[in-house]
Amino acid sequence: MTKTQTLKSGERAQVLGEENTSMHFVLEDDAVLDYFLPILGDDDSDSRVTVELKGKRSRVNSHIVFFGHGVQEQKIHFEHVHLGQDTESSMSAKGAAKDRAVSSFFGSVKMLPGSINAKGHLSEHNLILSPHARIEAIPALEIEHNEVEASHAATLERVDEEKMFYLNARGLPTAEAMELLVGGFFEAAFSSLEDEELRRKLTAELFKKLA
């Protein structure tokens, strides 16, 4: 069942999401939402989030972090829907996968009729840690109004033998080298969290998956 949360005019909220959630946010005039969704559990998951920028000048910043391992299957559907004038959205997803995990991120930004001067950006950056792991990144822009700005960017990196050899040759054991690479990859995403204790907790959960 999808849970709906409305941010009233001028309201600001910071929300920490949960795995296997189905959320629908509605932002009224001048509402601001900062949303952080960590997908770091050990089970298969299917998470769906929609943010509807209904009111004028409403804004949303969404950060999604996921890490698949073992034979996990992760599915993440995330969309920003612009309806109001002068709305702004930013969606940033960072994911990694190892072993035989399969992670899928479906991110979309929609600019619907009436969303004059809306601005939206979507970025996806993924890291493959094992030969048989897979990440499916499917960005989408749906533009139904002319006076808008929308963009997306996507990258896929692999931790290969050459990178590991380089770090090992400088005295770093393989486990520490992997932590250095993965920690650096996710650092920017975790820095968006103001709660330092939560950052440490999520980083520890991340490193447990590397063991």
Side-chain angles (χ1 to χ4, degrees):
M1 178 180 294
T2 300
K3 180 181 178 182
T4 299
Q5 180 176 342
T6 299
L7 271 63
K8 299 297 184 181
S9 295
E11 185 177 356
R12 293 173 173 263
Q14 292 184 333
V15 178
L16 179 66
E18 298 179 354
E19 295 187 45
N20 288 309
T21 191
S22 182
M23 287 291 304
H24 184 179
F25 293 92
V26 179
L27 309 188
E28 297 185 350
D29 291 353
D30 299 300
V32 179
L33 172 65
D34 288 306
Y35 189 83
F36 191 94
L37 177 62
I39 309 291
L40 301 174
D42 295 323
D43 300 323
D44 292 348
S45 62
D46 189 346
S47 306
R48 299 170 183 268
V49 178
T50 296
V51 181
E52 185 178 310
L53 295 101
K54 181 180 179 182
K56 295 178 181 179
R57 300 173 300 278
S58 54
R59 291 187 289 122
V60 59
N61 296 296
S62 298
H63 298 272
I64 304 96
V65 171
F66 60 91
F67 195 127
H69 71 138
V71 293
Q72 267 186 302
E73 183 175 357
Q74 299 174 321
K75 294 180 181 179
I76 306 153
H77 299 256
F78 214 106
E79 65 177 1
H80 289 164
V81 182
H82 291 257
L83 291 166
Q85 298 180 18
D86 301 305
T87 53
E88 295 185 17
S89 74
S90 173
M91 184 190 307
S92 174
K94 282 207 165 188
K98 61 175 288 193
D99 305 323
R100 293 182 177 273
V102 178
S103 301
S104 303
F105 180 79
F106 307 91
S108 70
V109 176
K110 297 181 179 180
M111 302 290 192
L112 300 186
S115 57
I116 300 171
N117 296 326
K119 298 178 181 179
H121 180 67
L122 163 63
S123 65
E124 303 177 33
H125 303 289
N126 299 312
L127 183 65
I128 299 294
L129 302 175
S130 303
H132 299 293
R134 197 165 84 246
I135 295 179
E136 299 175 350
I138 307 174
L141 299 179
E142 183 178 322
I143 312 299
E144 298 184 22
H145 198 286
N146 292 329
E147 299 175 45
V148 299
E149 295 180 20
S151 61
H152 72 82
T155 62
L156 178 64
E157 303 177 37
R158 293 182 180 273
V159 174
D160 54 28
E161 293 182 0
E162 183 177 344
K163 289 180 181 178
M164 294 303 297
F165 178 81
Y166 176 86
L167 292 172
N168 291 157
R170 279 149 182 76
L172 276 180
T174 298
E176 291 184 21
M178 187 66 77
E179 283 193 6
L180 179 66
L181 289 171
V182 173
F185 178 77
F186 283 105
E187 183 178 6
F190 287 144
S191 67
S192 67
L193 291 169
E194 295 182 1
D195 188 329
E196 185 174 346
E197 184 177 346
L198 178 60
R199 286 202 303 267
R200 288 198 297 266
K201 178 183 177 181
L202 292 178
T203 301
E205 290 182 13
L206 189 72
F207 287 161
K208 277 170 49 178
K209 288 178 171 281
L210 294 175

Short mmCIF file of all heavy atoms in Angstrom, two decimals, residues 126-162:
data_model
loop_
_atom_site.label_atom_id
_atom_site.label_comp_id
_atom_site.label_asym_id
_atom_site.label_seq_id
_atom_site.Cartn_x
_atom_site.Cartn_y
_atom_site.Cartn_z
N ASN A 126 27.22 4.50 -10.80
CA ASN A 126 27.23 3.12 -10.31
C ASN A 126 28.62 2.50 -10.37
O ASN A 126 29.45 2.87 -11.20
CB ASN A 126 26.25 2.27 -11.14
CG ASN A 126 24.83 2.79 -11.04
OD1 ASN A 126 24.35 3.04 -9.95
ND2 ASN A 126 24.17 2.97 -12.17
N LEU A 127 28.84 1.54 -9.46
CA LEU A 127 30.15 0.91 -9.30
C LEU A 127 29.97 -0.61 -9.25
O LEU A 127 29.25 -1.13 -8.39
CB LEU A 127 30.80 1.41 -8.01
CG LEU A 127 32.20 0.92 -7.67
CD1 LEU A 127 33.21 1.43 -8.70
CD2 LEU A 127 32.60 1.38 -6.28
N ILE A 128 30.63 -1.31 -10.17
CA ILE A 128 30.58 -2.78 -10.22
C ILE A 128 31.84 -3.33 -9.55
O ILE A 128 32.97 -2.97 -9.93
CB ILE A 128 30.50 -3.28 -11.67
CG1 ILE A 128 29.23 -2.76 -12.34
CG2 ILE A 128 30.54 -4.81 -11.70
CD1 ILE A 128 27.95 -3.31 -11.77
N LEU A 129 31.63 -4.23 -8.56
CA LEU A 129 32.77 -4.74 -7.78
C LEU A 129 33.12 -6.19 -8.11
O LEU A 129 34.15 -6.68 -7.64
CB LEU A 129 32.46 -4.63 -6.29
CG LEU A 129 32.15 -3.21 -5.78
CD1 LEU A 129 31.74 -3.25 -4.31
CD2 LEU A 129 33.35 -2.31 -5.96
N SER A 130 32.29 -6.88 -8.89
CA SER A 130 32.54 -8.28 -9.23
C SER A 130 32.14 -8.53 -10.68
O SER A 130 31.22 -7.87 -11.20
CB SER A 130 31.73 -9.22 -8.32
OG SER A 130 32.02 -9.00 -6.96
N PRO A 131 32.78 -9.49 -11.33
CA PRO A 131 32.51 -9.75 -12.75
C PRO A 131 31.06 -10.13 -13.05
O PRO A 131 30.55 -9.83 -14.14
CB PRO A 131 33.46 -10.90 -13.10
CG PRO A 131 34.53 -10.84 -12.07
CD PRO A 131 33.88 -10.33 -10.82
N HIS A 132 30.39 -10.80 -12.11
CA HIS A 132 29.03 -11.30 -12.38
C HIS A 132 27.94 -10.41 -11.79
O HIS A 132 26.75 -10.72 -11.93
CB HIS A 132 28.88 -12.72 -11.85
CG HIS A 132 29.83 -13.70 -12.49
ND1 HIS A 132 29.74 -14.06 -13.82
CD2 HIS A 132 30.91 -14.35 -11.98
CE1 HIS A 132 30.72 -14.91 -14.10
NE2 HIS A 132 31.43 -15.11 -13.00
N ALA A 133 28.32 -9.34 -11.11
CA ALA A 133 27.31 -8.41 -10.59
C ALA A 133 26.78 -7.54 -11.74
O ALA A 133 27.45 -7.33 -12.75
CB ALA A 133 27.91 -7.53 -9.50
N ARG A 134 25.57 -7.02 -11.53
CA ARG A 134 24.96 -6.23 -12.60
C ARG A 134 24.14 -5.07 -12.01
O ARG A 134 23.43 -5.24 -11.03
CB ARG A 134 24.06 -7.11 -13.47
CG ARG A 134 23.71 -6.48 -14.81
CD ARG A 134 23.14 -7.49 -15.78
NE ARG A 134 21.71 -7.68 -15.58
CZ ARG A 134 21.13 -8.79 -15.17
NH1 ARG A 134 21.89 -9.85 -14.89
NH2 ARG A 134 19.83 -8.89 -15.04
N ILE A 135 24.26 -3.92 -12.63
CA ILE A 135 23.43 -2.76 -12.27
C ILE A 135 22.75 -2.25 -13.54
O ILE A 135 23.41 -1.98 -14.54
CB ILE A 135 24.25 -1.63 -11.63
CG1 ILE A 135 24.84 -2.08 -10.29
CG2 ILE A 135 23.37 -0.39 -11.41
CD1 ILE A 135 25.68 -1.02 -9.60
N GLU A 136 21.45 -2.15 -13.48
CA GLU A 136 20.68 -1.61 -14.59
C GLU A 136 20.24 -0.20 -14.23
O GLU A 136 19.47 -0.01 -13.29
CB GLU A 136 19.45 -2.49 -14.88
CG GLU A 136 19.81 -3.92 -15.27
CD GLU A 136 18.58 -4.80 -15.42
OE1 GLU A 136 17.48 -4.34 -15.03
OE2 GLU A 136 18.73 -5.92 -15.92
N ALA A 137 20.76 0.79 -14.95
CA ALA A 137 20.40 2.18 -14.71
C ALA A 137 19.54 2.65 -15.88
O ALA A 137 19.97 2.64 -17.03
CB ALA A 137 21.66 3.04 -14.60
N ILE A 138 18.32 3.04 -15.55
CA ILE A 138 17.37 3.42 -16.60
C ILE A 138 16.83 4.82 -16.31
O ILE A 138 15.79 4.98 -15.66
CB ILE A 138 16.22 2.40 -16.69
CG1 ILE A 138 16.80 0.97 -16.85
CG2 ILE A 138 15.30 2.73 -17.87
CD1 ILE A 138 15.77 -0.12 -16.80
N PRO A 139 17.56 5.86 -16.76
CA PRO A 139 17.08 7.23 -16.54
C PRO A 139 16.04 7.60 -17.60
O PRO A 139 16.11 7.15 -18.74
CB PRO A 139 18.35 8.07 -16.69
CG PRO A 139 19.19 7.29 -17.65
CD PRO A 139 18.87 5.83 -17.42
N ALA A 140 15.09 8.47 -17.22
CA ALA A 140 14.07 8.88 -18.17
C ALA A 140 13.67 10.34 -17.92
O ALA A 140 13.52 10.75 -16.77
CB ALA A 140 12.84 7.98 -18.05
N LEU A 141 13.53 11.07 -18.99
CA LEU A 141 13.01 12.43 -18.95
C LEU A 141 11.74 12.46 -19.78
O LEU A 141 11.74 12.05 -20.94
CB LEU A 141 14.02 13.43 -19.51
CG LEU A 141 15.38 13.56 -18.82
CD1 LEU A 141 16.24 14.57 -19.55
CD2 LEU A 141 15.22 13.95 -17.36
N GLU A 142 10.66 12.95 -19.19
CA GLU A 142 9.39 13.06 -19.89
C GLU A 142 8.99 14.54 -19.91
O GLU A 142 8.61 15.09 -18.88
CB GLU A 142 8.32 12.22 -19.20
CG GLU A 142 6.98 12.21 -19.91
CD GLU A 142 5.96 11.32 -19.22
OE1 GLU A 142 6.37 10.24 -18.72
OE2 GLU A 142 4.77 11.70 -19.16
N ILE A 143 9.11 15.16 -21.07
CA ILE A 143 8.92 16.60 -21.19
C ILE A 143 7.63 16.88 -21.96
O ILE A 143 7.51 16.54 -23.14
CB ILE A 143 10.10 17.27 -21.91
CG1 ILE A 143 11.44 16.80 -21.32
CG2 ILE A 143 9.97 18.78 -21.84
CD1 ILE A 143 11.62 17.10 -19.86
N GLU A 144 6.67 17.53 -21.29
CA GLU A 144 5.41 17.88 -21.92
C GLU A 144 5.14 19.38 -21.87
O GLU A 144 4.00 19.82 -21.97
CB GLU A 144 4.26 17.11 -21.26
CG GLU A 144 4.37 15.60 -21.41
CD GLU A 144 3.18 14.86 -20.83
OE1 GLU A 144 2.10 15.48 -20.71
OE2 GLU A 144 3.32 13.68 -20.49
N HIS A 145 6.23 20.14 -21.66
CA HIS A 145 6.10 21.60 -21.64
C HIS A 145 7.39 22.20 -22.18
O HIS A 145 8.48 21.67 -21.91
CB HIS A 145 5.84 22.09 -20.21
CG HIS A 145 5.29 23.49 -20.14
ND1 HIS A 145 6.06 24.60 -20.38
CD2 HIS A 145 4.04 23.95 -19.87
CE1 HIS A 145 5.32 25.68 -20.27
NE2 HIS A 145 4.09 25.32 -19.95
N ASN A 146 7.29 23.26 -22.94
CA ASN A 146 8.46 23.83 -23.60
C ASN A 146 9.36 24.65 -22.68
O ASN A 146 10.58 24.60 -22.77
CB ASN A 146 8.03 24.71 -24.79
CG ASN A 146 7.41 23.89 -25.91
OD1 ASN A 146 7.79 22.73 -26.10
ND2 ASN A 146 6.47 24.47 -26.63
N GLU A 147 8.78 25.41 -21.78
CA GLU A 147 9.56 26.37 -20.98
C GLU A 147 10.09 25.71 -19.70
O GLU A 147 9.76 26.12 -18.58
CB GLU A 147 8.68 27.58 -20.64
CG GLU A 147 8.19 28.32 -21.87
CD GLU A 147 7.23 29.45 -21.51
OE1 GLU A 147 7.52 30.20 -20.56
OE2 GLU A 147 6.18 29.55 -22.16
N VAL A 148 10.92 24.68 -19.87
CA VAL A 148 11.48 23.97 -18.73
C VAL A 148 12.94 23.63 -19.01
O VAL A 148 13.41 23.70 -20.15
CB VAL A 148 10.70 22.66 -18.42
CG1 VAL A 148 9.25 22.96 -18.07
CG2 VAL A 148 10.78 21.70 -19.61
N GLU A 149 13.66 23.23 -17.95
CA GLU A 149 15.03 22.75 -18.07
C GLU A 149 15.11 21.37 -17.43
O GLU A 149 14.73 21.21 -16.26
CB GLU A 149 16.01 23.69 -17.38
CG GLU A 149 16.11 25.07 -17.99
CD GLU A 149 17.10 25.96 -17.24
OE1 GLU A 149 17.95 25.40 -16.51
OE2 GLU A 149 17.00 27.19 -17.36
N ALA A 150 15.61 20.40 -18.17
CA ALA A 150 15.73 19.03 -17.64
C ALA A 150 17.00 18.39 -18.18
O ALA A 150 17.33 18.56 -19.36
CB ALA A 150 14.51 18.20 -18.00
N SER A 151 17.71 17.66 -17.33
CA SER A 151 18.95 17.03 -17.76
C SER A 151 19.20 15.76 -16.95
O SER A 151 18.65 15.58 -15.86
CB SER A 151 20.13 17.99 -17.59
OG SER A 151 20.28 18.35 -16.23
N HIS A 152 20.02 14.89 -17.51
CA HIS A 152 20.42 13.70 -16.75
C HIS A 152 21.83 13.28 -17.14
O HIS A 152 22.32 13.62 -18.22
CB HIS A 152 19.43 12.54 -16.98
CG HIS A 152 19.51 11.92 -18.35
ND1 HIS A 152 20.44 10.98 -18.68
CD2 HIS A 152 18.75 12.11 -19.45
CE1 HIS A 152 20.27 10.61 -19.94
NE2 HIS A 152 19.25 11.28 -20.43
N ALA A 153 22.48 12.57 -16.22
CA ALA A 153 23.83 12.06 -16.45
C ALA A 153 23.94 10.70 -15.79
O ALA A 153 23.33 10.44 -14.76
CB ALA A 153 24.86 13.02 -15.87
N ALA A 154 24.73 9.81 -16.41
CA ALA A 154 24.90 8.46 -15.86
C ALA A 154 26.31 7.97 -16.12
O ALA A 154 26.88 8.21 -17.20
CB ALA A 154 23.88 7.50 -16.48
N THR A 155 26.90 7.31 -15.11
CA THR A 155 28.23 6.71 -15.27
C THR A 155 28.23 5.31 -14.68
O THR A 155 27.46 4.99 -13.77
CB THR A 155 29.32 7.54 -14.57
OG1 THR A 155 29.05 7.58 -13.15
CG2 THR A 155 29.38 8.95 -15.12
N LEU A 156 29.11 4.47 -15.21
CA LEU A 156 29.29 3.11 -14.69
C LEU A 156 30.78 2.84 -14.61
O LEU A 156 31.50 2.93 -15.60
CB LEU A 156 28.61 2.09 -15.62
CG LEU A 156 28.78 0.62 -15.22
CD1 LEU A 156 28.09 0.35 -13.89
CD2 LEU A 156 28.23 -0.30 -16.29
N GLU A 157 31.24 2.51 -13.39
CA GLU A 157 32.66 2.23 -13.17
C GLU A 157 32.82 0.77 -12.73
O GLU A 157 31.89 0.16 -12.20
CB GLU A 157 33.24 3.14 -12.09
CG GLU A 157 33.10 4.62 -12.35
CD GLU A 157 33.63 5.43 -11.19
OE1 GLU A 157 34.65 5.02 -10.58
OE2 GLU A 157 33.01 6.46 -10.86
N ARG A 158 34.02 0.26 -12.92
CA ARG A 158 34.36 -1.08 -12.45
C ARG A 158 35.65 -1.03 -11.65
O ARG A 158 36.59 -0.30 -12.02
CB ARG A 158 34.52 -2.05 -13.62
CG ARG A 158 33.23 -2.34 -14.36
CD ARG A 158 33.43 -3.34 -15.48
NE ARG A 158 32.20 -3.59 -16.19
CZ ARG A 158 31.30 -4.51 -15.83
NH1 ARG A 158 31.54 -5.26 -14.77
NH2 ARG A 158 30.20 -4.68 -16.52
N VAL A 159 35.68 -1.79 -10.57
CA VAL A 159 36.93 -1.95 -9.82
C VAL A 159 37.65 -3.13 -10.45
O VAL A 159 37.27 -4.29 -10.25
CB VAL A 159 36.66 -2.20 -8.32
CG1 VAL A 159 37.97 -2.51 -7.60
CG2 VAL A 159 35.99 -0.99 -7.70
N ASP A 160 38.66 -2.86 -11.23
CA ASP A 160 39.34 -3.93 -11.96
C ASP A 160 40.66 -4.30 -11.28
O ASP A 160 41.08 -3.69 -10.30
CB ASP A 160 39.56 -3.53 -13.42
CG ASP A 160 40.29 -2.19 -13.55
OD1 ASP A 160 41.07 -1.85 -12.63
OD2 ASP A 160 40.09 -1.51 -14.56
N GLU A 161 41.31 -5.31 -11.82
CA GLU A 161 42.55 -5.81 -11.24
C GLU A 161 43.66 -4.75 -11.28
O GLU A 161 44.50 -4.69 -10.38
CB GLU A 161 43.01 -7.07 -12.00
CG GLU A 161 42.08 -8.26 -11.81
CD GLU A 161 42.60 -9.48 -12.54
OE1 GLU A 161 43.67 -9.40 -13.18
OE2 GLU A 161 41.93 -10.53 -12.46
N GLU A 162 43.64 -3.90 -12.30
CA GLU A 162 44.68 -2.87 -12.40
C GLU A 162 44.59 -1.87 -11.25
O GLU A 162 45.62 -1.49 -10.67
CB GLU A 162 44.54 -2.14 -13.74
CG GLU A 162 45.63 -1.11 -13.99
CD GLU A 162 45.51 -0.47 -15.34
OE1 GLU A 162 44.79 -1.02 -16.21
OE2 GLU A 162 46.13 0.59 -15.55
#
